[in-house]
Amino acid sequence: MLLQRSAHFDPQRDVGPWLSEQAALRGDAEADILGSNLETLRTVNVERNGNIIYTWKGNQAHTCIGLYEPSSQKNQHLYTFEKDLHMISCSVNSEKTLLAVSFLQSTTEERANLLFPPVSKCLTLLIEIHPVNNVKVLKAVDSWIRVQFVYPVADTFASPASYLLLISEDKYIEKIDIKVVREGDSVMIENASQLSRQRIVDDIFWAQWDMLEQTLFYIASKESRDTLYCIQFYPDKNFKLILETPLDINLDDIGLKSVNLDFNCSQDQEMISKPLNIQVFTSETGCLCICCNLVPASPEEVTYSVSFLHKGYSKIYTITLERGDSSEVKDLTFLNLDYYVAVYLPGHFLHLLNTRHPDLMCYNFFLTGGNAKINSLHTNALLSPLKSMVLDRGTGSIFTIAINRQALLQFLWNSKSDNDRLAALHCLLLHIGSTKELETQIIQWIIENAATCFTFDPIQELLIASLYWRMCLKDSKLDSVLPYTPLLYWNEDIPGIVCRTHIISLPVLKVQKCKGFWEKLGSSLECSRCFDPHMCFNSKLLRLERDKLLSDERTEERTIYTESMLENAKKVFSSLNKWNTEENMVPLFQEEDYQQRLLTGLMVAQLKDHLTRHLQHVGKKQIDQIAVDYVSKSLDLICLIMENVWKKYGLGPWIFSCRQEGRLDEMVVFCIMCQILQATSGMCMPLPPGFHTLHIALGIRCLPLHALLHYIDHGVLHLTEKCVMKLLKELDNTEKNEKLKLSILIRLPEAIGRKVSQLWNHPVSTNSIARNYVKLLLEKLSNKQYSMLVMESLSPQIEFLPLNYLVNMLAEVESQGWMTSVAQENMNARCVEELALKHTTLLLGL
């Protein structure tokens, strides 16, 4: 199972022993107060600090209230009612001095038997519990009341007052300010008869309390349109309306529905309203989502919507159930897993919807069967009071829900569809975290499965996602300017699921200069409003600039800009982790690759320009370091891939020899290096120096000549000076080797050809030297403004006038001593004349 459940609070484990111990210590006389009937134990609230409030029935049907602190694993008895009460809601302030409770005064059966039933069904009390003292009646009404103390967002803030919210099913919310006075160890309510009350909002029909953020979301009608509002409570600033946004779904006025304020599973049937299954979820990264269960078009379908308010669009999902028994289908359960929203229909499906990157469906999990289970949670009585936590209201147990890393890796290995694979890769690299250990495990999967991925490149996914994770850990502002995926779009269908996307209005933040979640949400909204497809760094401009610079290199034009690119590359290589593989197994960084150095420096420069353009608040020095780190880490990842490939196929401390034929393992490594080259070329990313030499060395050993030349001609293999020099030195001039050398030499770039041609004692090599000699002379002549000589000194045997002119010019140049710089080539004008004459007669057929 992909989701792992672990018990955070288990009444049997965490409360049972304490109840038994207290009952034994106090004796039978007190057993009814601290009874041990665990079957009646129910969880009624979870406060912001994690404290859990629960109730249980004593031996004489007394209703007891207790508190469990997970941090200390201790229990505390708060209060006891000498009646069997149906508890609706309960909350304790952060100092644990005041207790607010709301309960039904009697059950339906009891009211039917009473001669004089109570005037009101629901009673709301405020109780002093430190020590147990006065009781204040806050409400005595027929409608249900939920109570909730407001906790300071900053735990260090000490307030002399407590703030209590009353949420009424009469569709209003009220705040009560409670001031206390201390007398020794006692805490008492100050002026209890005249508590300050303030009506916060009226005419609402849905409310949700966000325990961690201390915010109250509610839905009310505004100008005939349902609108979502949010109020932020402050310890020292009272409260403020902080968010307003119209909803893209029409909701009927069906009576108040409260979320995270109602922990009861079995309610009085007279008080139950028609269900409105809608929830708001926030995340630490500034994501804000609304989930709503919609009415499906047919009984065989389930329809729900998720509005990604921070992105400005909503998605409506329609799922065709594998089993058409609609009698089993109940309301969906929405769970907040922070990075994901879980949509759970036990026995049918589990969907994990990516809240941070919701635009591409391939980064969502759509699970059925065994993967769509959360251990033994098969009930619809689930609640998500805190992030990544689930309350089973039937048992009172609270569980933490997390994605199991090992199960996710196994899911990746077992998946056959590209959608499942992409979802798993994204979750592993960007949610669980791209550590070196995890990257190594993913690389092992890539080595085995890259060839079976048809709609995406897993190597590209690894590189981009890992870089995004590593860089955004340092600065969260980079998440909008660095790509998290190489995919531009995804249009593959997922069987059984139809998704429709709608553009919605972005929320309006009513308060400026917010902190915490609201600051991150504001940043996300600003990015959505100013969305520009060019905000994320891409390789188009980089590719154009690279081609231009390489063109300059062919003409040997050295510019200041080119030199600055090479300086950037030096910074990258100096900051690159010293890649000391075991016994130097992978022979990288053994040479200077001019083209890769140029591309490395160019990528740094392009990144600097991109970041400066979009992150104007970041200083130049920091931007320079970010750009160098990004490119350095990309090279580091490629080295990590190569190391794992080398280990898997046991190549050991590999030494390139042209005389030996390659093994089967070397051929497999060659193919994987082709995949790495294809992935990086597609994104115009640099490779570590030495990669091309290693690649073509494997190609020479493993490929037949025609295949080798085909790979070179199509740009898969790149000829390097080091490889060609080794080839010319090691191989003798047999017919087979001569054919290989000739084929390689005629394909060499001119800059490399000038250096290596003299190593081979062969007419073709001599011809190459002569060509280079003439070119160098002509360049020098153009600089010296050499005046051409007359033809009087030409040999009478040569009748090809252009050749006569060339030989005359060369002889004059040589006589002036201009060729000392090329004396090592053992070439003179007469030799050039003979070679030129020979080739001329062959061309003319003489």
Side-chain angles (χ1 to χ4, degrees):
M1 284 170 285
L2 205 59
L3 294 186
Q4 182 179 21
R5 183 198 73 171
S6 56
H8 177 74
F9 171 68
D10 182 354
Q12 297 280 347
R13 180 195 67 190
D14 299 319
V15 180
W18 175 76
L19 287 179
S20 300
E21 179 184 348
Q22 293 298 311
L25 290 175
R26 296 179 182 271
D28 294 338
E30 300 291 337
D32 59 339
I33 299 177
L34 298 170
S36 58
N37 189 356
L38 290 178
E39 295 180 358
T40 64
L41 195 148
R42 293 291 180 268
T43 300
V44 292
N45 202 354
V46 179
E47 301 290 5
R48 182 178 180 271
N49 54 16
N51 291 347
I52 300 165
I53 303 174
Y54 54 87
T55 67
W56 75 95
K57 307 296 183 183
N59 291 340
Q60 297 181 10
H62 291 178
T63 301
C64 306
I65 302 175
L67 178 76
Y68 176 73
E69 294 182 350
S71 58
S72 62
Q73 298 183 344
K74 292 181 179 180
N75 288 276
Q76 179 181 348
H77 173 229
L78 297 179
Y79 198 77
T80 297
F81 291 95
E82 296 181 356
K83 292 182 180 180
D84 183 3
L85 302 176
H86 184 167
M87 191 69 63
I88 298 174
S89 180
C90 186
S91 182
V92 66
N93 65 350
S94 57
E95 294 82 13
K96 293 185 289 186
T97 57
L98 300 176
L99 178 69
V101 294
S102 176
F103 56 86
L104 293 179
Q105 297 200 60
S106 60
T107 63
T108 304
E109 294 78 7
E110 289 174 339
R111 289 199 298 270
N113 297 327
L114 288 175
L115 182 59
F116 299 102
V119 176
S120 56
K121 298 177 184 178
C122 179
L123 192 64
T124 304
L125 304 179
L126 178 63
I127 305 170
E128 297 173 355
I129 58 171
H130 188 68
V132 174
N133 199 351
N134 296 325
V135 175
K136 167 73 175 177
V137 177
L138 298 177
K139 291 284 183 180
V141 292
D142 285 340
S143 59
W144 284 26
I145 301 290
R146 275 85 180 183
V147 294
Q148 178 61 56
F149 276 103
V150 178
Y151 279 48
V153 174
D155 291 331
T156 57
F157 182 84
S159 174
S162 294
Y163 306 110
L164 177 67
L165 298 181
L166 301 183
I167 298 92
S168 171
E169 282 197 339
D170 287 337
K171 302 182 181 180
Y172 68 85
I173 301 176
E174 192 175 66
K175 184 173 78 74
I176 301 177
D177 297 349
I178 309 164
K179 295 183 179 181
V180 297
V181 292
R182 294 182 178 272
E183 295 182 1
D185 293 334
S186 299
V187 176
M188 295 184 298
I189 301 172
E190 183 181 24
N191 200 5
S193 61
Q194 296 180 352
L195 295 177
S196 174
R197 295 171 182 262
Q198 184 177 5
R199 187 69 64 96
I200 293 178
V201 65
D202 288 298
D203 298 325
I204 66 171
F205 57 89
W206 177 91
Q208 175 179 317
W209 177 247
D210 189 321
M211 199 72 67
L212 289 180
E213 299 297 335
Q214 294 291 283
T215 55
L216 181 69
F217 293 94
Y218 63 92
I219 297 175
S221 295
K222 180 180 181 181
E223 298 177 354
S224 301
R225 187 172 185 182
D226 295 328
T227 303
L228 175 72
Y229 300 89
C230 182
I231 292 175
Q232 174 74 66
F233 291 89
Y234 301 94
D236 55 346
K237 297 179 182 179
N238 207 349
F239 64 91
K240 290 182 181 179
L241 177 65
I242 200 167
L243 176 138
E244 177 182 340
T245 182
L247 299 179
D248 64 326
I249 49 179
N250 293 321
L251 305 173
D252 296 327
D253 187 355
I254 54 178
L256 181 69
K257 168 77 174 186
S258 58
V259 180
N260 291 350
L261 292 162
D262 182 8
F263 286 69
N264 245 326
C265 181
S266 58
Q267 298 179 354
D268 191 330
Q269 294 300 315
E270 296 181 6
M271 310 300 293
I272 293 180
S273 304
K274 291 163 59 179
L276 175 60
N277 193 1
I278 179 171
Q279 285 185 258
V280 175
F281 292 141
T282 62
S283 77
E284 295 179 358
T285 57
C287 301
L288 179 62
C289 304
I290 303 178
C291 305
C292 183
N293 192 11
L294 304 177
V295 178
S298 69
E300 291 77 23
E301 293 179 344
V302 173
T303 302
Y304 65 90
S305 73
V306 179
S307 298
F308 302 96
L309 298 182
H310 56 290
K311 292 291 186 179
Y313 55 81
S314 68
K315 293 179 180 288
I316 298 178
Y317 300 88
T318 301
I319 296 89
T320 302
L321 300 179
E322 296 180 358
R323 300 193 303 275
D325 187 1
S326 59
S327 62
E328 293 183 0
V329 177
K330 298 180 181 180
D331 285 337
L332 295 174
T333 297
F334 298 110
L335 304 175
N336 186 3
L337 303 185
D338 196 34
Y339 202 91
Y340 292 92
V341 167
V343 186
Y344 186 40
L345 186 59
H348 292 274
F349 65 81
L350 170 65
H351 294 172
L352 299 179
L353 305 180
N354 197 314
T355 60
R356 193 169 183 183
H357 304 123
D359 45 341
L360 299 178
M361 282 187 67
C362 55
Y363 294 124
N364 301 328
F365 289 94
F366 298 97
L367 306 174
T368 58
N371 290 319
K373 295 180 181 179
I374 310 178
N375 289 56
S376 59
L377 295 181
H378 298 287
T379 176
N380 69 329
L382 299 177
L383 182 67
S384 184
L386 297 173
K387 292 181 179 68
S388 303
M389 283 192 181
V390 175
L391 166 66
D392 186 341
R393 289 181 286 189
T395 63
S397 299
I398 297 178
F399 306 95
T400 57
I401 302 292
I403 296 176
N404 188 316
R405 171 175 160 172
Q406 292 304 317
L408 185 56
L409 282 169
Q410 191 63 43
F411 177 82
L412 176 64
W413 278 96
N414 296 337
S415 297
K416 302 303 179 184
S417 71
D418 282 357
N419 179 81
D420 289 340
R421 290 169 167 179
L422 269 170
L425 283 174
H426 183 97
C427 185
L428 285 166
L429 293 170
L430 295 180
H431 174 53
I432 291 180
S434 185
T435 62
K436 184 175 180 180
E437 177 187 359
L438 183 57
E439 288 165 353
T440 299
Q441 293 173 314
I442 293 174
I443 289 170
Q444 293 170 358
W445 175 83
I446 290 176
I447 293 171
E448 297 288 338
N449 296 275
T452 63
C453 298
F454 302 106
T455 57
F456 74 102
D457 188 324
I459 297 176
Q460 289 184 347
E461 196 74 23
L462 170 67
L463 293 175
I464 296 298
S466 292
L467 288 172
Y468 180 88
W469 164 264
R470 293 183 183 190
M471 300 308 296
C472 289
L473 278 180
K474 295 183 177 180
D475 190 342
S476 61
K477 296 182 178 64
L478 293 174
D479 60 359
S480 61
V481 295
L482 295 179
Y484 69 90
T485 176
L487 292 178
L488 299 178
Y489 59 88
W490 176 271
N491 55 7
E492 300 293 319
D493 293 331
I494 299 175
I497 298 175
V498 176
C499 178
R500 303 188 303 276
T501 303
H502 302 278
I503 303 299
I504 61 176
S505 301
L506 289 171
V508 176
L509 291 181
K510 300 288 189 178
V511 178
Q512 302 300 321
K513 297 181 180 180
C514 303
K515 295 184 179 180
F517 164 76
W518 298 110
E519 181 181 12
K520 294 179 181 178
L521 175 60
S523 177
S524 298
L525 294 176
E526 188 64 29
C527 290
S528 298
R529 289 191 185 94
C530 306
F531 176 73
D532 180 356
H534 301 295
M535 279 192 68
C536 277
F537 181 76
N538 64 71
S539 59
K540 290 183 180 179
L541 293 176
L542 180 60
R543 191 182 303 277
L544 292 173
E545 193 67 21
R546 179 202 61 180
D547 294 342
K548 180 181 177 182
L549 281 179
L550 291 181
S551 175
D552 292 344
E553 188 274 333
R554 284 194 295 270
T555 59
E556 296 188 7
E557 294 180 359
R558 304 301 185 200
T559 64
I560 297 176
Y561 183 68
T562 302
E563 292 299 326
S564 68
M565 297 304 99
L566 299 178
E567 286 298 319
N568 288 339
K570 287 182 181 179
K571 295 178 182 178
V572 170
F573 296 138
S574 64
S575 66
L576 186 67
N577 293 334
K578 298 299 181 182
W579 198 258
N580 296 322
T581 58
E582 295 179 11
E583 301 178 0
N584 294 322
M585 280 195 294
V586 188
L588 295 174
F589 300 101
Q590 302 299 315
E591 63 179 295
E592 285 195 359
D593 187 329
Y594 176 79
Q595 290 192 6
Q596 292 308 310
R597 287 173 58 219
L598 201 62
L599 181 56
T600 299
L602 183 60
M603 188 173 182
V604 172
Q606 292 289 320
L607 264 172
K608 287 180 182 179
D609 293 343
H610 175 77
L611 295 175
T612 301
R613 189 162 52 251
H614 295 288
L615 298 179
Q616 298 179 0
H617 60 283
V618 180
K620 180 181 181 300
K621 186 176 181 181
Q622 184 179 354
I623 285 179
D624 291 351
Q625 190 61 48
I626 291 173
V628 170
D629 289 346
Y630 189 89
V631 181
S632 175
K633 286 176 171 55
S634 72
L635 296 178
D636 187 67
L637 282 167
I638 296 171
C639 292
L640 181 63
I641 296 173
M642 289 296 298
E643 182 190 55
N644 281 275
V645 171
W646 226 251
K647 286 180 180 179
K648 178 175 177 59
Y649 293 100
L651 297 192
W654 195 78
I655 300 176
F656 169 39
S657 173
C658 299
R659 298 189 182 95
Q660 301 175 359
E661 292 188 1
R663 310 191 312 267
L664 179 61
D665 288 342
E666 292 180 355
M667 184 62 195
V668 175
V669 172
F670 171 80
C671 293
I672 295 174
M673 292 186 71
C674 288
Q675 294 172 345
I676 296 173
L677 181 63
Q678 181 181 10
T680 54
S681 298
M683 301 182 295
C684 201
M685 293 182 70
L687 290 162
F691 182 92
H692 286 308
T693 295
L694 190 58
H695 195 201
I696 195 170
L698 286 168
I700 291 172
R701 288 167 62 97
C702 299
L703 296 176
L705 180 59
H706 70 278
L708 176 69
L709 300 180
H710 179 78
Y711 275 72
I712 295 174
D713 292 340
H714 286 79
V716 178
L717 292 175
H718 296 256
L719 294 169
T720 65
E721 179 181 340
K722 184 175 183 179
C723 180
V724 176
M725 290 180 67
K726 194 170 185 64
L727 181 75
L728 296 177
K729 288 179 179 180
E730 283 194 4
L731 298 184
D732 55 20
N733 288 334
T734 62
E735 183 178 354
K736 179 181 179 182
N737 292 341
E738 190 176 72
K739 188 175 182 180
L740 172 62
K741 291 179 181 181
L742 285 172
S743 301
I744 295 295
L745 281 177
I746 62 176
R747 288 169 169 82
L748 281 177
E750 189 174 337
I752 300 178
R754 287 200 303 265
K755 296 180 180 180
V756 303
S757 57
Q758 58 184 305
L759 299 177
W760 187 24
N761 184 20
H762 191 272
V764 172
S765 178
T766 306
N767 186 26
S768 174
I769 295 172
R771 289 198 309 271
N772 295 335
Y773 178 83
V774 172
K775 180 180 179 182
L776 181 62
L777 288 175
L778 291 176
E779 289 175 352
K780 290 182 176 294
L781 283 172
S782 63
N783 294 332
K784 297 281 186 176
Q785 296 182 346
Y786 176 71
S787 59
M788 300 303 176
L789 302 176
V790 294
M791 302 295 296
E792 297 177 355
S793 60
L794 291 176
S795 171
Q797 291 81 9
I798 301 176
E799 298 179 355
F800 188 58
L801 295 181
L803 180 61
N804 291 338
Y805 183 80
L806 174 63
V807 171
N808 188 29
M809 179 180 65
L810 293 178
E812 179 64 22
V813 169
E814 189 176 57
S815 67
Q816 297 183 19
W818 287 2
M819 292 309 300
T820 55
S821 61
V822 292
Q824 69 273 15
E825 297 188 37
N826 194 25
M827 181 62 59
N828 53 42
R830 180 57 56 188
C831 181
V832 173
E833 175 188 338
E834 293 174 356
L835 285 170
L837 179 62
K838 181 177 179 181
H839 282 274
T840 302
T841 55
L842 288 175
L843 289 172
L844 296 177
L846 301 176

